[in-house]
Amino acid sequence: ITAATVSSCTKDFVSEHYTFYRPVYKTTDEVKAGIKSTAPATVTSPGKIFVKGSHVFLNELDKGVHIIDFSNPAAPVNRAFVEIPGCRDIAVRGNYLYADCYTDLVTIDISNPQNVIMKSFINGVFPWRYYSSGIAYDNNKIIVDWVRVDTVVRHQPGVNEPWWNDMPILFSGQTAFNTGGVAAANNGGTANGTGGSMAAFALLGSRMHTVDFQNLKVVNTSNAAEPVYVKNISLPGWNIETIYPFNDKLFIGSQSGMMIYDASQPDDPAALGSLEHVRTCDPVIADGNYAYVTLRSGTECQGFTNQLDVLNISNLLHPVLVKTYLLTNPHGLAKDGNTLLICDGSSGLKIFNAADINNIQQTSAISSMETYDVIALSGTAIVSAKDGIYFIDYSNPANAT
């Protein structure tokens, strides 16, 4: 804001230059109508990834989902784009895609990627998006975008002008909203796909578990086309970010620590053990008796820690830190046998031999991309990066290409 004072005999006026962000509204019906297939689109703001069969689903932040056929990983084919306003998290069960649509959960039949069909819409599953995406005062309208407006206002100092109260508007620099960062399986049934370590949606058996700021939610997906919201469980941590299913356990990463929940009772997950750490971002995966946690610094995470922590989880009630390995800025990670893959931010994808958890050794790296998340599938790694999606052959871990 800049100001200039103009004097007169009786009054002083100030001209102030403001940058406003005015909301663009749509009704919930308009948002639902916008869920549809379109032609393959260019990847511009890639987010989270999910794999089902020979297709990878790549989130385009707040816009929708790319459906990419990687039957031949050396020549993947972008099949279609599914427009889903406000989408940031996804999962696939059978021929059905689950996604957040701002505050709501949408189920989409993806049997034909070129002509998807919306099957169900559950309102209010993700109420925290009221604050991060912005819901209008009329709860039948959703803020889907923000338009910048630069203007000059001339007024008397100390006088409350009517325009000031003409809300809703946001000023430049406020953080009340976020505009984004950073092929459908042909086999039917109800088989679950595989998500990355940065996922906030996790499929485990016939249930989908989702996490947000301080909550774990349970959704019954027994009828994959018509999921049913079951319950919300308040979590003891805060700034919950990720969830990873392993056997009948849920490994939950937050900015304050890792939590383990027992999901053997599908509709009533119960807390087991946890391990606190300094404030930092915290995706986690598990493999047998060990869990692998990457901690990183960043604007939304604060902190100054950039490392891999290996935890012994043989006693699920009392996880124990075994060893720490320093990294550059680690994000998502995956493990395939003794091969550990870590997205180390601007340092690219790093591949390690983790046969000995006390002596994990880097075997190769691909440093030509800024990486976010990875899914490892028997020699092929699918990597979400700042500029798109990559398919990496790590069948020879010492010479990944």
Side-chain angles (χ1 to χ4, degrees), residues 231-298:
K231 67 188 302 184
N232 178 83
I233 300 169
S234 295
L235 297 174
W238 46 270
N239 279 5
I240 310 299
E241 296 177 319
T242 64
I243 183 169
Y244 184 86
F246 181 71
N247 292 335
D248 60 355
K249 304 300 186 290
L250 300 169
F251 292 81
I252 298 171
S254 76
Q255 289 187 19
S256 57
M258 180 202 73
M259 293 169 278
I260 305 172
Y261 271 67
D262 181 0
S264 57
Q265 298 296 320
D267 290 336
D268 194 24
L272 293 173
S274 63
L275 187 71
E276 294 185 357
H277 55 61
V278 296
R279 181 171 182 178
T280 184
C281 291
D282 174 11
V284 55
I285 62 171
D287 182 15
N289 289 326
Y290 297 98
Y292 304 80
V293 182
T294 56
L295 308 179
R296 75 180 186 278
S297 61

Side-chain angles (χ1 to χ4, degrees), residues 69-379:
D69 184 344
F70 70 105
S71 301
N72 178 2
V77 179
N78 195 350
R79 294 293 186 192
F81 182 71
V82 182
E83 294 185 356
I84 309 173
C87 173
R88 297 182 186 177
D89 281 284
I90 53 177
V92 180
R93 176 169 167 79
N95 284 331
Y96 298 96
L97 169 70
Y98 306 123
D100 55 344
C101 179
Y102 297 109
T103 60
D104 306 323
L105 175 65
V106 61
T107 301
I108 302 171
D109 184 339
I110 52 172
S111 301
N112 179 0
Q114 284 76 35
N115 186 26
V116 301
I117 301 171
M118 191 181 77
K119 300 297 291 185
S120 73
F121 206 85
I122 306 177
N123 296 319
V125 177
F126 313 108
W128 68 275
R129 293 291 298 275
Y130 278 88
Y131 308 104
S132 65
S133 292
I135 298 299
Y137 297 108
D138 177 354
N139 61 13
N140 189 45
K141 293 182 180 179
I142 296 173
I143 297 175
V144 297
D145 202 359
W146 299 88
V147 175
R148 175 175 172 148
V149 179
D150 295 300
T151 189
V152 177
V153 176
R154 184 173 181 268
H155 71 97
Q156 288 181 260
V159 177
N160 187 18
E161 302 287 350
W163 66 268
W164 185 269
N165 299 312
D166 185 20
M167 295 299 283
I169 53 178
L170 292 177
F171 296 104
S172 177
Q174 286 191 331
T175 58
F177 67 96
N178 181 354
T179 58
V182 161
N186 292 322
N187 54 319
T190 54
N192 293 330
T194 301
S197 63
M198 303 294 283
F201 286 12
L203 291 168
L204 187 60
S206 61
R207 299 297 186 272
M208 182 170 73
H209 301 87
T210 77
V211 291
D212 58 32
F213 183 75
Q214 202 172 10
N215 302 284
L216 169 65
K217 300 176 189 296
V218 182
V219 179
N220 187 332
T221 60
S222 296
N223 179 351
E226 297 285 343
V228 177
Y229 178 76
V230 177
K231 67 188 302 184
N232 178 83
I233 300 169
S234 295
L235 297 174
W238 46 270
N239 279 5
I240 310 299
E241 296 177 319
T242 64
I243 183 169
Y244 184 86
F246 181 71
N247 292 335
D248 60 355
K249 304 300 186 290
L250 300 169
F251 292 81
I252 298 171
S254 76
Q255 289 187 19
S256 57
M258 180 202 73
M259 293 169 278
I260 305 172
Y261 271 67
D262 181 0
S264 57
Q265 298 296 320
D267 290 336
D268 194 24
L272 293 173
S274 63
L275 187 71
E276 294 185 357
H277 55 61
V278 296
R279 181 171 182 178
T280 184
C281 291
D282 174 11
V284 55
I285 62 171
D287 182 15
N289 289 326
Y290 297 98
Y292 304 80
V293 182
T294 56
L295 308 179
R296 75 180 186 278
S297 61
T299 54
E300 79 278 15
C301 306
Q302 302 184 22
F304 301 95
T305 300
N306 290 284
Q307 64 195 45
L308 168 72
D309 283 351
V310 182
L311 314 179
N312 187 320
I313 56 171
S314 54
N315 182 347
L316 291 169
L317 298 178
H318 300 287
V320 177
L321 176 64
V322 176
K323 192 163 183 177
T324 292
Y325 297 86
L326 297 181
L327 292 165
T328 302
N329 190 230
H331 290 61
L333 68 166
K335 194 163 183 286
D336 180 7
N338 291 326
T339 302
L340 177 67
L341 302 92
I342 298 179
C343 293
D344 202 10
S346 59
S347 292
L349 179 70
K350 294 181 178 178
I351 300 173
F352 300 83
N353 183 336
D356 179 0
I357 54 94
N358 289 294
N359 188 32
I360 294 177
Q361 296 288 330
Q362 182 175 326
T363 57
S364 63
I366 297 179
S367 57
S368 58
M369 53 191 172
E370 185 171 344
T371 54
Y372 175 70
D373 202 6
V374 57
I375 296 176
L377 300 169
S378 302

